[in-house]
Amino acid sequence: MKHSPEPWIIGEPRPGSSGGTVVSIGVRPHYCGEVDYNDETDIANAERIVACVNYCQGIPTKELTTTLQGIQGDLKDAIALLRTEIHVTNLLLTDRERLLDAIPECPAHGQCVTYALEWVEKQRHPWRPVSTAPRNGTRILMSCGPSLYDGPTTGQVWADTAFDDSGTVFHRLPTHWMPIPELPENTP
């Protein structure tokens, strides 16, 4: 069985009818249904049917049905994928906020990307070359290979001798340093 040819319209009432009609005006007019002009839902449904039929002009009904079923399956898969991506994005945003809250502000600029990147890198690799150590008396940890030393930083530590301010003898000069980490809080 073949459907009425397109285009379809909502036409004038048929003789003896109080409502409009859905009409195929293809080769010859064909009445496809009645529309009650007093019922807004009836009018909206008729407009939707006419729009869909005209939009699908030239597509065989069997192909249209199969295509719509395929599209529906594809949409379900796409929606599931989007839900997963939204979930992962929310997790990443939560981690991002936690990380941003942990990064101290740059003393010169406030929230500074360069400072933040440097801070993250220092957290990943806390040991730094001794040549970058502060020399203002700040206490730091120093590594002399397998040995550690905790002491103030002054010019004498970096002298060519193997002694520091307190008279401690290094068997080897320090090669790396790191800030002394904060002690963990006592928890009950």
Side-chain angles (χ1 to χ4, degrees):
M1 181 161 97
K2 247 182 126 170
H3 66 78
S4 299
E6 300 87 358
W8 287 21
I9 63 165
I10 299 176
E12 296 298 319
R14 290 171 65 177
S17 171
S18 62
T21 55
V22 175
V23 179
S24 165
I25 57 168
V27 178
R28 63 179 178 78
H30 180 85
Y31 296 101
C32 301
E34 296 286 327
V35 180
D36 181 356
Y37 279 138
N38 296 320
D39 183 344
E40 289 181 19
T41 302
D42 213 24
I43 295 168
N45 287 341
E47 289 172 345
R48 186 174 181 89
I49 290 167
V50 168
C52 288
V53 168
N54 290 336
Y55 182 78
C56 296
Q57 183 174 359
I59 303 172
T61 302
K62 185 170 183 141
E63 182 181 327
L64 183 62
T65 304
T66 305
T67 301
L68 288 177
Q69 288 171 348
I71 290 172
Q72 185 179 16
D74 291 346
L75 285 175
K76 284 181 181 178
D77 292 345
I79 288 169
L81 179 62
L82 284 173
R83 284 188 175 137
T84 301
E85 288 178 0
I86 288 169
H87 176 71
V88 169
T89 299
N90 286 336
L91 291 174
L92 290 172
L93 288 173
T94 300
D95 285 348
R96 175 188 174 272
E97 289 303 316
R98 188 176 45 80
L99 181 60
L100 288 175
D101 288 343
I103 297 172
E105 287 193 2
C106 169
H109 306 106
Q111 290 189 328
C112 172
V113 173
T114 304
Y115 182 78
L117 292 173
E118 288 172 4
W119 182 85
V120 168
E121 190 62 25
K122 287 175 186 174
Q123 302 309 306
R124 291 179 54 210
H125 305 288
W127 288 104
R128 303 169 202 169
V130 75
S131 61
T132 64
R135 298 176 188 230
N136 58 5
T138 303
R139 293 186 66 81
I140 60 172
L141 288 178
M142 291 172 275
S143 168
C144 305
S147 304
L148 286 178
Y149 169 70
D150 161 22
T153 59
T154 63
Q156 291 177 2
V157 171
W158 318 118
D160 290 334
T161 63
F163 296 94
D164 70 7
D165 283 340
S166 65
T168 302
V169 176
F170 286 101
H171 297 290
R172 293 179 5 192
L173 290 174
T175 58
H176 290 81
W177 75 280
M178 69 178 281
I180 297 176
E182 292 184 23
L183 295 175
E185 293 182 19
N186 289 336
T187 54

